[in-house]
């Protein structure tokens, strides 16, 4: 059976990717299936660079065709922050709630019209020969206060209002989430080629 590695330890992200790519002829693995694997440093200057670094790095360690992603939140009034450092800009000890609240605090006093932001990023696939990549973003704006819970693993979905539906990303219905999810869009864009290359292995 052909194997495909989804290079994440985030279970929610893994399940999202698996739902799109699951196939009876493909065994989908995550980083948790490789306890001794070495983390790939995210040293790139962009989401694209980091996604490619991870896809290539984990392929080289496992020999298994690999999908990796990198993304986060870009806030225009903060000159693109938290940007490429979205998941570590407050340090390793910061909670998801800490990160969400920090964005709101930094935008204190910024008027509604200037709170524009986007959540999204890149997905890359590498099988030792072929490199594929895709980019997608969800456009919206940042709320002025945090209300309700912050979903583990997705700190910024609780503070970004999605323009298309005029509601928090966190509060989208299942159908709306499926329609707007940037990771799903990236995977669907790459899926035909990924399956073509896997079939040739």
């Amino acid at each position: 059976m052909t194997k495909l590695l989804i290079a994440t330890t985030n279970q929610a992200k893994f399940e999202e990717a698996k739902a799109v790519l699951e196939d009876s002829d493909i065994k989908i693995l995550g980083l948790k299936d490789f306890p001794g694997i070495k983390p790939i440093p995210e040293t790139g200057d962009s989401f694209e660079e980091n996604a490619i670094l991870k896809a290539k790095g984990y392929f080289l360690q496992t020999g298994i065709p690999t999908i990796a992603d990198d993304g986060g939140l870009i806030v225009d009034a903060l000159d693109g922050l938290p940007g490429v450092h979205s998941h570590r800009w407050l340090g390793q000890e910061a909670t998801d709630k800490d990160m969400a609240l920090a964005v709101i605090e930094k935008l204190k006093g910024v008027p509604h019209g200037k709170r524009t932001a986007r959540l999204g990023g890149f997905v890359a696939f590498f099988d030792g020969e072929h490199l594929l990549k895709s980019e997608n973003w969800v456009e919206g704006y940042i709320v002025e206060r945090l209300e309700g819970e912050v979903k583990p693993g997705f700190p910024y979905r609780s503070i970004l209002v999605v323009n298309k539906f005029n509601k928090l990303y966190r509060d989208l219905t299942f159908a709306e989430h499926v329609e707007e999810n940037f990771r799903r869009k990236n995977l669907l864009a790459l899926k035909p080629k990924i399956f073509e290359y896997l079939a040739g292995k």
Side-chain angles (χ1 to χ4, degrees), residues 165 167-179:
F165 299 108
K167 63 168 75 170
L168 283 173
Y169 196 137
R170 179 194 66 196
D171 296 335
L172 298 183
T173 66
F174 178 77
E176 290 167 345
H177 176 79
V178 167
E179 181 180 340

Side-chain angles (χ1 to χ4, degrees), residues 40-64:
I40 302 300
E42 297 179 14
T43 55
D45 294 324
S46 67
F47 296 123
E48 180 179 8
E49 286 182 27
N50 281 333
I52 293 171
L53 280 171
K54 289 187 286 186
K56 289 184 172 181
Y58 288 118
F59 170 80
L60 290 174
Q61 288 189 67
T62 64
I64 298 172

Side-chain angles (χ1 to χ4, degrees), residues 26-99:
I26 299 173
K27 183 175 183 180
I28 298 179
L29 303 170
L31 292 180
K32 290 181 179 179
D33 294 305
F34 301 88
I37 203 165
K38 295 180 180 178
I40 302 300
E42 297 179 14
T43 55
D45 294 324
S46 67
F47 296 123
E48 180 179 8
E49 286 182 27
N50 281 333
I52 293 171
L53 280 171
K54 289 187 286 186
K56 289 184 172 181
Y58 288 118
F59 170 80
L60 290 174
Q61 288 189 67
T62 64
I64 298 172
T66 299
I67 289 173
D69 79 282
D70 194 48
L73 181 71
I74 292 177
V75 181
D76 295 321
L78 301 181
D79 296 322
L81 288 174
V84 74
H85 304 296
S86 290
H87 302 293
R88 54 192 181 279
W89 70 309
L90 297 181
Q92 298 295 328
E93 301 303 315
T95 66
D96 289 331
K97 186 174 182 178
D98 291 337
M99 290 188 283

Side-chain angles (χ1 to χ4, degrees), residues 152-194:
F154 299 103
Y156 305 119
R157 290 185 182 183
S158 295
I159 60 172
L160 181 76
V161 173
V162 179
N163 288 338
K164 186 173 182 178
F165 299 108
N166 195 31
K167 63 168 75 170
L168 283 173
Y169 196 137
R170 179 194 66 196
D171 296 335
L172 298 183
T173 66
F174 178 77
E176 290 167 345
H177 176 79
V178 167
E179 181 180 340
E180 197 72 354
N181 185 287
F182 61 87
R183 189 172 293 103
R184 182 176 183 275
K185 287 181 180 178
N186 281 329
L187 291 170
L188 286 173
L190 299 182
K191 183 176 178 178
K193 276 294 184 182
I194 289 175

Side-chain angles (χ1 to χ4, degrees), residues 119-133:
L119 188 61
F122 278 81
V123 167
F125 166 86
F126 186 67
D127 64 358
E129 180 181 359
H130 308 100
L131 174 65
L132 302 172
K133 57 188 178 180

